[in-house]
Amino acid sequence: MAGPMAAQWGNQPTGNLSTLVDPNLNEVIGILHQRYQAQHIYTNIGDILLSVNPQQTIPLYGSRVGDFYRDVQSAVSQPPHIFMTACRVLRNLQIHNRDQTILLSGENGSGKTEAVKILVSQFGRLSTTVTPHQGPPQSEVASLLSEAMSLLEEFGNADVGINRNSSRHGKLVELAWDDGKLVGAEITVWGLEKNRVMFSEPGERNFHVFYRMLVGFDQEMLTRHRHNQSYRILEPNDGGQIYRDMNDAEKNKAHYRYLREYLNTLGIEHQTFRSGRQTAGDAIFEVLSALLHLGNIHFAPDPESDTAFVANQTEVEAAAALLGVQAQDISGLFLTRFGYSGGQRMMYRRDTSGASLTRNSLVRHIYIQLFEWLVKMINTRLALPGHYRHKSKQLKTVGILDLPGFENLMTNSLEQLHFNLADERLQDQVTELVFRQELHDLETDGIKVQNTSFRDNTEVLDAFYDRNIGLLRLIDENTDPSPNSDMALLNDISKRHSKKSSLLKTDPGHKTFMVIHHRGQVIYNIEVLLTKNRPVDVRTFDALLEYSQNPLLHELMSTPHDRSSRRSSQADDTPDDLTLTQKHAAALRAMFRRLEGRETQHVWCIRPNMTLQPGVFDADVVARQLSAMSVVEAARIRSIGYPVRITIRDFIDRYRFVGFPLSARIDSLQGACHRVIRKAGIPDGGWQVRQRKVMLAWWHQDYLDTALERALRHVIFVQSRLRGYVARRKFHRMRRHFRADKDELSDFFEDVSGHSLRTYYACQAQSDHNTRETERQYTGRDGGRRQTRTYSDRVGRESRYSRSGYGGQSEVYNDYIDQTLDDNSTFKQTVLHDVTSKRDLDPITWCKVICMEYDRPVGKFYVQNRDIHIDGTYNPFDGERVGIGVFRNPERSRQAETIRAYLGQGLVLHHDADGNIWAKRLSNNDIIVQGYDDPGNHSLSADVILNQGRLARGQSMKVFDMNELRSRIGLELKSHTFNKTRLRHQTIVCFSLLEEEETALDTPCWLCVVNIHALNALESQDVLSQVEKMMTQAELRTEEEDLKDEKAQDAKGRHFRKQWSRTDQRESFTKGETSSRKLRIALRKRGEDVKNHMDYSWDSESRGSSSRKQMTVDTLQEQVMGNPDGELDVRRSGPLSPTSSGKTREWAKLKITAKTSVAKEESEMDAMMKSRMSRY
């Protein structure tokens, strides 16, 4: 003996009766007596557990002892305990993969009900924890089941004198398991003794619940339920008090609190019905109180007609109020009945006997319906979670069968007959499994067992269940109410069972018959038995209560015979017109049918005495029970026999992993069995391998199961690693697919967003175009355009707000503003929309930087500090510095990765107070400012244009010029098509990150910088007012300043003009400025507006060709003389250049032709100017 229980058990007589050499009854009784005195109530008979009821609380249970029996590998060296039975059952369930059953047998008062509770509690400890999505935790399932059985005890148990808590019904508790997890339970009841509601024998009591509620009700409940101090169905027949003493009353009051807790825990207490008027807890006690009032109704005979009438109408009214029906309906039900005479429906008055029988039947009917409804509610609460009910996987179950024990009371009638027959059926099941099958197998394999006999109750069962002359058949045949039915039954028994006088004896004088059961003889009262067995027509009861105002009764009686609603609470569905005996027999057969094909464990319970005194061991009482159960014979056969008998094929299929690897080939089955047994560590002797089966002792299976568990753990370990590998591969594959789908979905939404924005901007552009067309139609088809361009021309040519020239020159903005956007307008519009829609930007935020790879943004951040350093490191953005290495792109190309690596120290962006952006390159590789070749669509500085967009290394360079943006604002203000969208595009500066020079035109990596300060300036009224003021000052320039500028330009032109040509030196030959000046002077002298009479070359359709550089003879000569080969550069010379080498004489001819052409053009120009002047 080992473990923490060893000190508690100490050195006691053997705890296993199968180890006795030649056991006898006296020796077994002596061993049990010694162990009982030491409070060791459990003793093994091989794999059978013998339990003696201690009739008191002993310290053999609880979590500490239960945890000790959780992982017991072998029961050989452990003290006997009912926890060991639970452990063995669960291990067999998992290893053998077969449903299990525990059969508890014993007479009334032997402790079977408490044994079921103990087993359930241990199964709750053995169950592994269930995760939340699989249902309630295992402790909840076990605790709910324990509460449910305690609740059924209150409604289904009673004090019968010899047992204070006698079960007046049988039950089968089934536990559902899924891979070692207790996931649900179901309770099936059988044979409730419903007659006890109205009658109880002397020394006995009604069901517990009535005594609990009377003493537990407060004054308000007593008043509402109209309770008084006297109830006929609760008072003892000897006229004593309802409660024995004050202790008895206090005990029942405490149990009433427990009863309400049970209802609350199981979800019944506060359950509401469809009417919503009352909770189930209150409705239950209203129905029970109504039954007490119905039991108090007394009938008296009418002196004239001998018919019955109600003697106490107040009880009828109280019962009717609680049942929710009319009082006259209840009285009519008791006092009258309907029948047919001559084809007509007639009403008859009942006598007192008939009225009492109807009253009793109604009370029994209501109580049995209430009990079955409680079982249904309990099973609903204990049912499997929803996802198990839809699984194709078949769950394994463990059944615990607890039938009412053998009874022999002072007056035995139909209930005792049913209970004793159930005990006979159970004993026959035990005899079949323990004795008959084992002896048959031993004899079949040639193994002789001597001096072994057992008590066989087959003859008793045949006497009752024979199809032709069985006692049950005779009882049913004589059930019809007739004056001599009881005597007819006695005569039939004597006549047809004359050969079985040793089993059945009749006593006509007392109208009784005696049956010698395997546990003892019992005398049954025939008159009472036949009365209780008669079928009762409950349709009139249902018709009365179906429309009850009590919501519970309405639910019980609306569909009381619906088979689908009662399938979970009854063992079988039987018709209502059968006798009570027929119903009980059918239900018992169905219950045992559910146990077929299961592995069985046995628990035999012993009652130590008949006085209910703790610590008293009555040897005569125990000896009678040991003889009835053939305990000595079971110990002998377990010691010399082989209780574990497995076919060879099943043995190899179950235990092959113990002795062979998975891939091993087995040639000899018998040899393989020997190898498996030896590998399991079973010593030689005590087992045999025969032709058909392997014969083992009961403890050999524990060795084999332990070895199999060890081998399976190794297999499970390998499987877990393999499954983990497969699961990881599947996970990675799913993650790749998920990321791909996510990217595709992101791209799709980006495309949708882009298309939406393009559609929006296209609609906006169309709206702007329609607006311009409307204005053009309003001002005139040509006049408006001409006027606009003339005004713009004056602003463009005369305004001082022109950008400083590149390389000392001056470049003036074109007065014509192209209304189309560049190729990146959609991207820019999206970026600007993100910035302008952000409402929570800090006022000091001056730019937003977007890191781009091709057309995909990979990083975005806002800058508040004046300087921001962007490099190729992996530093996260901290406000002053950021490394683009932190920006991830799952689809990054190799080229983009290379360029990011070459960024090195990157660049620094700086923001000054005027809104200009400066950039300083720190890396060795070039960084190009995009748009340097298209300055008209960007607000870039002159330094950027001169350096062709390249940033100088180590030097700060202005890249965004606010003055350029103000110039663009001025031009937009002077046009009639002010386009703020174009101006917003001017606030964006982009930088291309290069690896080599040849990647400048097609680089995948670039930065986009949005100047938020410039965006705010576009929305500032002060900035717009400032620009308008500057343009107004430009318009007020005096005429003398214009002439002074023109003279300076004329002098500058003459200085650079070649002197060798004798052609007319007028400015009209090159630019036409002289004629234009004279025209303006003449118009001003006449007081007319100049702009209405001026027509510029860019207004004509040949605007593009007139903008080309004018070719003169000087230029041609210069080009020819400078080329030693005499060839002309076609790209530089224009359309007048010769395409072949020239000589001096050929050049002379060309020069004469050129001079003639120039003179002709000057002549035509003079004629055109004279024609214009004549009009003025």
Side-chain angles (χ1 to χ4, degrees):
M1 185 179 301
M5 296 291 294
Q8 180 179 352
W9 285 87
N11 296 322
Q12 294 296 328
T14 178
N16 194 338
L17 300 181
S18 64
T19 60
L20 300 177
V21 178
D22 187 13
N24 56 72
L25 183 59
N26 293 330
E27 183 180 8
V28 170
I29 292 176
I31 293 175
L32 295 180
H33 189 192
Q34 294 182 41
R35 295 179 62 82
Y36 184 78
Q37 295 300 326
Q39 293 188 347
H40 301 159
I41 62 175
Y42 296 113
T43 305
N44 285 332
I45 311 175
D47 56 344
I48 301 173
L49 181 67
L50 199 64
S51 173
V52 182
N53 188 358
Q55 296 182 339
Q56 62 179 334
T57 302
I58 56 177
L60 284 182
Y61 311 100
S63 300
R64 179 175 177 271
V65 180
D67 292 338
F68 172 66
Y69 283 95
R70 285 179 61 93
D71 301 316
V72 175
Q73 299 299 327
S74 176
V76 176
S77 59
Q78 304 303 331
H81 203 287
I82 195 171
F83 286 170
M84 189 63 240
T85 301
C87 179
R88 183 182 292 112
V89 165
L90 188 57
R91 184 170 57 182
N92 292 346
L93 181 75
Q94 296 172 348
I95 296 179
H96 304 169
N97 197 27
R98 289 180 59 186
D99 292 341
Q100 304 289 312
T101 299
I102 301 177
L103 297 182
L104 292 94
S105 59
E107 65 180 38
N108 195 348
S110 59
K112 298 189 299 300
T113 301
E114 291 299 323
V116 175
K117 292 182 181 180
I118 296 171
L119 286 171
V120 169
S121 65
Q122 181 63 8
F123 279 127
R125 298 186 189 96
L126 294 176
S127 173
T128 57
T129 302
V130 182
T131 56
H133 71 276
Q134 292 177 323
Q138 57 86 13
S139 58
E140 183 177 353
V141 174
S143 62
L144 286 177
L145 183 56
S146 180
E147 300 278 302
M149 290 188 296
S150 298
L151 179 63
L152 292 182
E153 285 183 15
E154 300 295 331
F155 285 84
N157 288 26
D159 184 352
V160 295
I162 62 173
N163 185 3
R164 300 296 188 194
N165 187 33
S166 175
S167 295
R168 311 315 295 168
H169 64 282
K171 59 179 176 291
L172 173 63
V173 181
E174 292 187 285
L175 311 177
W177 298 82
D178 180 21
D179 295 332
K181 303 168 187 176
L182 180 58
V183 296
E186 182 181 18
I187 300 177
T188 304
V189 298
W190 171 86
L192 178 67
E193 187 189 9
K194 58 184 179 180
N195 289 314
R196 182 170 293 272
V197 184
M198 290 302 300
F199 297 104
S200 56
E201 298 295 333
E204 299 182 9
R205 282 186 171 189
N206 209 319
F207 292 109
H208 292 325
V209 63
F210 294 107
Y211 303 94
R212 313 300 196 209
M213 72 178 191
L214 278 185
V215 72
F217 281 170
D218 54 17
Q219 188 60 42
E220 189 272 335
M221 291 283 288
L222 292 173
T223 304
R224 187 173 62 186
H225 293 175
R226 305 184 182 185
H227 282 295
N228 50 46
Q229 300 298 323
S230 176
Y231 292 101
R232 188 184 63 83
I233 64 175
L234 300 183
E235 293 177 352
N237 293 338
D238 55 6
Q241 298 296 325
I242 295 179
Y243 301 100
R244 298 184 180 92
D245 49 31
M246 290 299 299
N247 292 333
D248 185 29
E250 290 298 327
K251 181 179 179 181
N252 280 277
K253 187 175 182 179
H255 277 280
Y256 173 77
R257 293 193 297 269
Y258 301 151
L259 173 60
R260 301 304 289 253
E261 292 177 2
Y262 301 152
L263 292 172
N264 185 45
T265 303
L266 294 169
I268 303 175
E269 174 71 28
H270 301 289
Q271 179 181 344
T272 57
F273 302 96
R274 285 174 291 184
S275 62
R277 296 191 303 268
Q278 196 177 26
T279 61
D282 294 337
I284 289 172
F285 290 102
E286 280 192 0
V287 172
L288 293 175
S289 298
L291 297 184
L292 293 179
H293 288 292
L294 288 176
N296 275 357
I297 296 176
H298 176 66
F299 302 101
D302 189 340
E304 296 181 359
S305 60
D306 201 25
T307 57
F309 68 92
V310 178
N312 48 352
Q313 187 64 28
T314 56
E315 295 290 349
V316 177
E317 294 174 355
L322 294 172
L323 294 177
V325 297
Q326 298 297 324
Q328 57 268 26
D329 293 338
I330 294 181
S331 298
L333 177 67
F334 293 159
L335 301 178
T336 61
R337 65 180 181 86
F338 291 90
Y340 289 88
S341 177
Q344 295 183 354
R345 191 168 184 263
M346 305 292 291
M347 183 181 72
Y348 300 94
R349 297 279 297 184
R350 301 182 190 270
D351 57 9
T352 55
S353 176
S356 299
L357 288 176
T358 306
R359 176 202 60 195
N360 299 342
S361 299
L362 177 62
V363 173
R364 288 194 293 262
H365 179 63
I366 293 176
Y367 193 82
I368 192 65
Q369 293 296 324
L370 176 62
F371 185 78
E372 291 179 358
W373 179 82
L374 284 174
V375 176
K376 177 184 176 182
M377 293 298 101
I378 290 172
N379 287 334
T380 302
R381 187 70 176 88
L382 298 175
L384 294 173
H387 66 280
Y388 279 108
R389 291 193 290 269
H390 300 290
K391 272 187 175 182
S392 59
K393 179 181 179 181
Q394 184 69 28
L395 299 180
K396 297 301 178 183
T397 60
V398 173
I400 306 174
L401 181 61
D402 175 23
L403 294 177
F406 175 80
E407 287 187 351
N408 186 9
L409 307 179
M410 294 181 62
T411 302
N412 301 293
S413 61
L414 188 64
E415 292 80 16
Q416 285 67 43
L417 178 65
H418 292 158
F419 291 166
N420 293 339
L421 280 179
D423 184 70
E424 294 285 355
R425 286 291 303 270
L426 180 61
Q427 183 61 32
D428 181 69
Q429 185 82 1
V430 172
T431 303
E432 177 69 23
L433 296 174
V434 176
F435 298 104
R436 297 196 195 104
Q437 289 185 4
E438 182 167 355
L439 292 177
H440 177 269
D441 291 339
L442 293 176
E443 293 177 359
T444 302
D445 286 324
I447 302 175
K448 295 183 179 181
V449 180
Q450 299 178 353
N451 299 327
T452 301
S453 62
F454 57 92
R455 176 172 288 186
D456 195 342
N457 64 341
T458 305
E459 190 175 359
V460 178
L461 292 176
D462 292 340
F464 277 93
Y465 289 102
D466 188 276
R467 291 180 176 271
N468 299 320
I469 60 173
L471 188 57
L472 296 182
R473 179 180 179 86
L474 298 179
I475 292 174
D476 291 336
E477 290 178 351
N478 293 274
T479 297
D480 295 336
S482 60
N484 298 319
S485 59
D486 48 0
M487 296 305 298
L489 176 59
L490 290 176
N491 294 332
D492 289 340
I493 295 176
S494 300
K495 180 179 178 181
R496 299 188 182 185
H497 292 276
S498 59
K499 296 181 180 180
K500 299 181 179 179
S501 58
S502 59
L503 296 178
L504 297 175
K505 296 180 181 181
T506 61
D507 184 0
H510 295 87
K511 295 184 180 180
T512 60
F513 68 93
M514 182 183 64
V515 178
I516 302 178
H517 295 280
H518 77 283
R519 293 184 181 271
Q521 62 182 18
V522 180
I523 299 175
Y524 298 96
N525 187 298
I526 291 182
E527 186 176 7
V528 179
L529 187 148
L530 293 179
T531 302
K532 294 181 179 180
N533 190 48
R534 295 189 181 106
V536 178
D537 187 5
V538 298
R539 290 175 294 180
T540 56
F541 304 153
D542 296 340
L544 171 66
L545 302 175
E546 183 177 359
Y547 301 101
S548 169
Q549 296 301 314
N550 186 299
L552 176 58
L553 275 180
H554 177 73
E555 181 169 327
L556 294 179
M557 303 303 173
S558 58
T559 54
H561 304 295
D562 184 6
R563 293 189 176 184
S564 62
S565 66
R566 306 191 330 184
R567 189 167 300 161
S568 62
S569 62
Q570 294 190 10
D572 192 16
D573 297 318
T574 55
D576 293 324
D577 56 351
L578 297 180
T579 63
L580 197 59
T581 298
Q582 292 172 335
K583 292 180 180 180
H584 280 232
L588 190 63
R589 285 195 301 269
M591 183 174 290
F592 278 100
R593 194 180 304 119
R594 296 177 63 173
L595 303 180
E596 294 178 357
R598 302 190 182 194
E599 291 186 358
T600 305
Q601 298 292 328
H602 301 276
V603 178
W604 294 352
C605 300
I606 304 295
R607 178 175 185 143
N609 58 73
M610 300 301 293
T611 59
L612 303 179
Q613 296 180 3
V616 176
F617 189 90
D618 191 334
D620 295 334
V621 174
V622 174
R624 176 177 54 81
Q625 298 175 71
L626 295 180
S627 300
M629 291 186 292
S630 303
V631 171
V632 176
E633 289 77 10
R636 184 177 293 109
I637 198 172
R638 281 292 186 268
S639 63
I640 62 176
Y642 303 95
V644 180
R645 301 173 303 279
I646 310 175
T647 63
I648 292 180
R649 173 54 62 184
D650 292 341
F651 184 87
I652 294 299
D653 292 341
R654 182 184 301 177
Y655 298 110
R656 65 172 298 164
F657 289 140
V658 176
F660 298 90
L662 181 63
S663 58
R665 179 181 178 181
I666 298 177
D667 296 328
S668 174
L669 295 180
Q670 291 183 343
C673 293
H674 284 82
R675 178 174 177 176
V676 168
I677 293 173
R678 291 188 174 90
K679 283 285 186 179
I682 299 176
D684 293 337
W687 54 270
Q688 296 187 34
V689 179
R690 312 296 292 184
Q691 294 295 328
R692 297 185 308 109
K693 294 184 177 182
V694 178
M695 305 290 186
L696 301 171
W698 64 271
W699 54 273
H700 291 162
Q701 189 171 15
D702 291 330
Y703 275 84
L704 289 169
D705 291 341
T706 301
L708 181 60
E709 283 183 345
R710 187 165 52 249
L712 289 178
R713 279 198 298 269
H714 297 161
V715 174
I716 292 173
F717 177 79
V718 175
Q719 288 180 346
S720 64
R721 295 300 184 269
L722 181 60
R723 290 174 179 172
Y725 169 74
V726 174
R728 285 190 294 273
R729 287 190 57 186
K730 183 178 180 180
F731 169 75
H732 290 305
R733 182 168 62 253
M734 292 175 62
R735 185 171 62 178
R736 288 196 302 270
H737 293 329
F738 171 76
R739 289 178 175 176
D741 294 341
K742 180 180 178 181
D743 293 339
E744 291 179 1
L745 191 61
S746 177
D747 295 340
F748 169 74
F749 284 118
E750 288 181 1
D751 293 342
V752 171
S753 178
H755 286 301
S756 301
L757 289 174
R758 284 193 291 272
T759 303
Y760 168 75
Y761 296 134
C763 294
Q764 187 179 21
Q766 182 65 35
S767 178
D768 295 342
H769 173 73
N770 295 339
T771 303
R772 292 195 301 272
E773 288 296 326
T774 303
E775 293 178 354
R776 185 178 294 115
Q777 293 176 4
Y778 178 76
T779 58
R781 177 161 184 156
D782 296 327
R785 190 170 80 173
R786 190 182 300 116
Q787 181 181 2
T788 300
R789 292 180 178 174
T790 304
Y791 181 77
S792 300
D793 173 67
R794 188 163 67 85
V795 173
R797 295 180 60 83
E798 299 175 6
S799 174
R800 296 178 181 177
Y801 293 98
S802 59
R803 319 196 273 185
S804 59
Y806 307 134
Q809 300 179 0
S810 174
E811 176 179 335
V812 183
Y813 275 116
N814 295 330
D815 59 337
Y816 175 75
I817 301 176
D818 188 7
Q819 297 302 324
T820 61
L821 302 177
D822 58 341
D823 295 337
N824 294 326
S825 60
T826 302
F827 166 74
K828 292 181 179 179
Q829 196 68 18
T830 304
V831 173
L832 292 172
H833 175 74
D834 293 341
V835 176
T836 56
S837 62
K838 196 171 184 61
R839 303 298 183 186
D840 56 349
L841 283 178
D842 195 284
I844 64 175
T845 303
W846 62 272
C847 78
K848 178 182 181 180
V849 182
I850 306 173
C851 182
M852 303 290 297
E853 293 184 8
Y854 295 104
D855 58 347
R856 183 188 184 93
V858 297
K860 304 176 184 179
F861 54 91
Y862 289 89
V863 181
Q864 296 179 352
N865 295 339
R866 287 191 174 275
D867 296 322
I868 178 65
H869 186 185
I870 304 175
D871 54 23
T873 64
Y874 289 84
N875 296 325
F877 178 62
D878 58 1
E880 297 180 356
R881 184 170 185 173
V882 65
I884 64 174
V886 299
F887 302 133
R888 305 299 183 188
N889 183 6
E891 298 182 356
R892 179 170 294 144
S893 63
R894 184 181 299 275
Q895 183 182 8
E897 185 67 36
T898 304
I899 293 176
R900 287 160 52 88
Y902 275 89
L903 180 59
Q905 298 182 7
L907 75 160
V908 177
L909 299 179
H910 172 74
H911 170 258
D912 59 20
D914 294 334
N916 302 314
I917 298 179
W918 300 74
K920 180 169 65 175
R921 176 170 63 90
L922 302 180
S923 63
N924 295 327
N925 292 66
D926 281 339
I927 299 178
I928 304 296
V929 182
Q930 298 180 6
Y932 71 89
D933 54 348
D934 185 18
N937 288 322
H938 300 81
S939 297
L940 303 178
S941 66
D943 294 337
V944 173
I945 306 300
L946 290 176
N947 291 339
Q948 296 183 348
R950 284 179 168 80
L951 298 180
R953 187 174 186 274
Q955 298 180 3
S956 294
M957 177 185 295
K958 184 192 293 185
V959 293
F960 182 88
D961 194 346
M962 282 295 294
N963 290 330
E964 296 295 328
L965 182 62
R966 293 191 183 98
S967 299
R968 299 300 300 177
I969 294 174
L971 292 177
E972 293 290 347
L973 289 174
K974 287 304 179 182
S975 67
H976 289 285
T977 57
F978 184 78
N979 192 343
K980 186 177 288 188
T981 301
R982 171 179 289 279
L983 293 176
R984 287 177 177 173
H985 289 187
Q986 302 284 329
T987 63
I988 298 178
V989 183
C990 299
F991 300 89
S992 296
L993 309 180
L994 308 183
E995 175 188 1
E996 297 176 356
E997 185 176 356
E998 55 268 17
T999 65
L1001 299 180
D1002 186 20
T1003 176
C1005 299
W1006 51 290
L1007 302 176
C1008 177
V1009 181
V1010 182
N1011 192 339
I1012 299 178
H1013 182 89
L1015 278 176
N1016 296 333
L1018 293 178
E1019 305 296 335
S1020 175
Q1021 191 64 34
D1022 295 339
V1023 175
L1024 298 179
S1025 300
Q1026 181 183 4
V1027 173
E1028 290 179 351
K1029 181 178 179 181
M1030 296 172 64
M1031 295 187 65
T1032 302
Q1033 293 176 357
E1035 293 177 1
L1036 296 178
R1037 296 179 60 185
T1038 61
E1039 213 174 291
E1040 288 77 12
E1041 291 175 344
D1042 292 341
L1043 293 175
K1044 183 177 179 180
D1045 290 342
E1046 291 177 2
K1047 289 179 181 180
Q1049 292 178 7
D1050 191 16
K1052 184 177 180 179
R1054 287 195 300 272
H1055 176 74
F1056 287 101
R1057 187 178 300 116
K1058 299 297 183 179
Q1059 301 296 326
W1060 62 272
S1061 176
R1062 295 182 180 180
T1063 59
D1064 193 355
Q1065 301 300 316
R1066 293 178 298 171
E1067 286 295 320
S1068 60
F1069 179 76
T1070 56
K1071 296 183 180 180
E1073 294 180 358
T1074 304
S1075 300
S1076 177
R1077 180 177 61 81
K1078 292 178 180 180
L1079 180 59
R1080 289 199 302 274
I1081 294 173
L1083 292 174
R1084 288 170 180 164
K1085 289 179 178 180
R1086 295 173 57 180
E1088 297 185 13
D1089 194 354
V1090 177
K1091 61 184 178 181
N1092 293 332
H1093 298 278
M1094 298 301 292
D1095 191 9
Y1096 297 96
S1097 59
W1098 50 79
D1099 287 331
S1100 62
E1101 294 180 356
S1102 60
R1103 175 172 173 262
S1105 61
S1106 64
S1107 64
R1108 296 173 182 168
K1109 184 178 180 181
Q1110 298 292 331
M1111 181 61 63
T1112 63
V1113 179
D1114 301 352
T1115 307
L1116 289 174
Q1117 184 180 15
E1118 200 172 15
Q1119 184 174 352
V1120 172
M1121 294 304 182
N1123 190 352
D1125 296 331
E1127 297 181 354
L1128 296 178
D1129 189 353
V1130 179
R1131 293 173 296 175
R1132 295 176 54 192
S1133 59
L1136 299 178
S1137 302
T1139 59
S1140 62
S1141 63
K1143 299 181 181 179
T1144 304
R1145 57 178 181 276
E1146 295 175 350
W1147 175 247
K1149 296 179 181 180
L1150 180 60
K1151 187 176 0 178
I1152 293 172
T1153 303
K1155 289 181 178 180
T1156 304
S1157 176
V1158 171
K1160 184 177 179 180
E1161 290 182 4
E1162 289 181 353
S1163 177
E1164 293 177 354
M1165 183 65 71
D1166 290 338
M1168 181 184 67
M1169 294 302 297
K1170 290 178 181 180
S1171 175
R1172 288 186 178 182
M1173 293 300 295
S1174 64
R1175 292 200 299 267
Y1176 303 128

